[in-house]
Amino acid sequence: SQQGEEDPQALSIQEGENATMNCSYKTSINNLQWYRQNSGRGLVHLILIRSNEREKHSGRLRVTLDTSKKSSSLLITASRAADTASYFCATARSNSGYALNFGKGTSLLVTP
Amino acid sequence: DAGVIQSPRHEVTEMGQEVTLRCKPISGHDYLFWYRQTMMRGLELLIYFNNNVPIDDSGMPEDRFSAKMPNASFSTLKIQPSEPRDSAVYFCASSLGIDSGYGYTFGSGTRLTVV
């Protein structure tokens, strides 16, 4: 069963604009991760934020986590056409062992 | 490191046939996962191993599915007999550990089509 749900399902922006994707989840977590998937490829790990962290940065990526609202957001600043991909959040539930549960993803299209 | 290696990349088979998917994880990773991805259901965890031992196979859809990890460098997912509803992309992933900060490394997947 999916733990996280991304919103929106699809997002279309122009190069240079910022893209914000949201993720909501249901149960307590140890950490939350974001992944990118280009068409026809496997998922690539982008960033991990632990449950005791509120914000994390990696290059043009900014992730926030609000455990009280059980939500996270991924911000991609100054987007590029190469950022076109699907983005997934994944949660490691705190009491269920190890494996990640993935949402259905946000499909991001960045046009030149 | 070449990353997680899956084979074949594409598989087309007839209903009722046996299908075997293969995975070579990253050397040194203790965990190996099999996921299935479809448009309707998204990414579903099928089974995962820790140090070659199956830990959770509750996601395996039916007895038709089986997975093995005979050693630290190889795993198989077998479907016998295959059915059209098994058509999906099957991913293998490996990881050092959830607290490593590196997450999972996925293979490129096997696109299975059962006709």
Side-chain angles (χ1 to χ4, degrees):
Chain A
S1 61
Q2 268 101 28
Q3 162 79 313
E5 288 191 13
E6 293 88 347
D7 170 63
Q9 287 188 321
L11 182 60
S12 182
I13 60 174
Q14 291 190 315
E15 269 190 327
E17 295 180 336
N18 295 341
T20 299
M21 288 157 270
N22 302 297
C23 171
S24 61
Y25 58 92
K26 296 175 183 174
T27 64
S28 297
I29 59 171
N30 279 335
N31 64 72
L32 185 144
Q33 304 180 28
W34 285 90
Y35 287 77
R36 184 188 74 231
Q37 184 180 33
N38 290 91
S39 180
R41 307 297 295 272
L43 281 76
V44 174
H45 180 255
L46 295 176
I47 196 166
L48 178 152
I49 186 166
R50 302 185 194 283
S51 59
N52 62 352
E53 298 176 309
R54 292 297 168 258
E55 187 171 312
K56 204 162 184 180
H57 296 256
S58 177
R60 293 183 297 112
L61 305 180
R62 173 177 168 256
V63 171
T64 62
L65 179 64
D66 187 335
T67 53
S68 66
K69 295 181 179 178
K70 292 187 169 57
S71 67
S72 173
S73 67
L74 171 67
L75 169 67
I76 304 174
T77 60
S79 62
R80 307 165 181 169
D83 295 328
T84 294
S86 292
Y87 292 81
F88 296 85
C89 70
T91 51
R93 289 181 288 184
S94 57
N95 296 317
S96 68
Y98 192 85
L100 291 177
N101 287 285
F102 288 82
K104 287 194 173 181
T106 292
S107 179
L108 174 65
L109 174 63
V110 182
T111 55
Chain B
D1 201 321
V4 175
I5 300 173
Q6 291 188 246
S7 64
R9 286 278 282 140
H10 302 275
E11 178 80 37
V12 180
T13 190
E14 292 185 345
M15 182 173 61
Q17 296 298 306
E18 177 180 296
V19 175
T20 299
L21 312 181
R22 298 173 176 80
C23 175
K24 177 179 169 54
I26 290 176
S27 177
H29 281 192
D30 296 335
Y31 289 84
L32 183 140
F33 308 84
W34 284 99
Y35 284 87
R36 177 172 68 175
Q37 186 178 38
T38 61
M39 289 294 292
M40 289 294 294
R41 301 170 71 93
L43 270 160
E44 301 174 279
L45 175 70
L46 299 177
I47 185 171
Y48 77 91
F49 297 82
N50 181 21
N51 292 322
N52 313 338
V53 176
I55 302 300
D56 183 357
D57 65 353
S58 59
M60 296 286 262
E62 300 168 30
D63 291 345
R64 299 184 296 107
F65 286 69
S66 62
K68 294 181 180 179
M69 192 165 185
N71 56 63
S73 59
F74 184 65
S75 177
T76 59
L77 179 67
K78 187 176 293 187
I79 308 172
Q80 166 64 17
S82 58
E83 297 182 2
R85 58 190 168 129
D86 301 330
S87 297
V89 181
Y90 290 80
F91 288 103
C92 175
S94 69
S95 179
L96 277 170
I98 198 69
D99 289 326
S100 67
Y102 293 103
Y104 293 7
T105 302
F106 279 78
S108 296
T110 295
R111 181 174 295 276
L112 173 66
T113 303
V114 183
V115 298

